Amino acid sequence: MKPSPYFKDCFRYFFKRFSGKESLFRWFLQKAGEDSGAFDFPAALKGNPKTLLFLARDMEQSAAFMHAMPDAFFNNALLCAHESLQAVVSAKRAKALYYSDLECRYDEPAFIELEQKIKDFAPQVCIYLGEAFLPRLYLAKVSGAPCRIGFVSENCFPFLNLSLHPDKSSEAALIREYYEVK
């Protein structure tokens, strides 16, 4: 059995590193808190609210999203991205928090700092791109954003409480439509 990449290397999390997927999901949910505030969709997205954007680890998917979004979107956004995406993010001159693979593990000092910066930002909306990764989903939930959007992410509820399905358009086109930014 392969150990989970979700936790820092220490004895405290030794047994958690070998827990099953459902057990880890429940554990992270318990740590994040199960309650979620109410929000009015799509009105919550009008006027380009403070947005926390978790970029996908995949360079192509993140670059496509970034290039499709207008510059005005990034005026009120904080991006959370893997360090390999620095060039893509800097091209848009967006504010970002970067992490490495080792830093995005629960209870690492860098993870705790990342969590605090996200809470201090106090986003109104959180957008999550890419595959589900429990520590990042945990950060999305504890961000305090009442509206947490994922794409085809029903299995991530309640970490993400809104799942959009971009049938004919891209994720960026769908978000642009709701945000009404040009």
Side-chain angles (χ1 to χ4, degrees), residues 3 14 18 23 55 67 70 79 105 108 132 147 162:
F14 179 79
F18 294 95
S23 173
L55 290 175
H67 293 305
L79 283 59
R105 298 185 310 176
E108 289 286 349
C147 180
L162 182 62

Side-chain angles (χ1 to χ4, degrees), residues 115-147:
E115 179 180 355
Q116 189 57 51
K117 287 180 180 179
I118 287 171
K119 286 179 179 178
D120 291 344
F121 180 66
Q124 296 162 319
V125 175
C126 178
I127 300 172
Y128 190 95
L129 299 175
E131 294 182 25
F133 186 72
L134 285 173
R136 286 193 306 268
L137 288 170
Y138 165 84
L139 290 173
K141 178 86 166 97
V142 299
S143 71
C147 180

Side-chain angles (χ1 to χ4, degrees), residues 53-125:
L53 173 63
F54 285 90
L55 290 175
R57 185 82 198 281
D58 178 45
M59 174 83 74
E60 291 178 22
Q61 182 183 4
S62 291
F65 185 89
M66 296 281 294
H67 293 305
M69 294 302 290
D71 290 339
F73 172 80
F74 298 102
N75 292 341
N76 235 4
L78 177 65
L79 283 59
C80 190
H82 188 268
E83 63 189 1
S84 64
L85 299 171
Q86 286 183 354
V88 174
V89 172
S90 65
K92 284 287 189 175
R93 293 185 172 88
K95 293 175 277 194
L97 301 171
Y98 297 102
Y99 60 85
S100 69
D101 291 332
L102 292 178
E103 292 172 338
C104 198
R105 298 185 310 176
Y106 187 82
D107 215 22
E108 289 286 349
F111 183 86
I112 294 167
E113 183 179 335
L114 187 65
E115 179 180 355
Q116 189 57 51
K117 287 180 180 179
I118 287 171
K119 286 179 179 178
D120 291 344
F121 180 66
Q124 296 162 319
V125 175

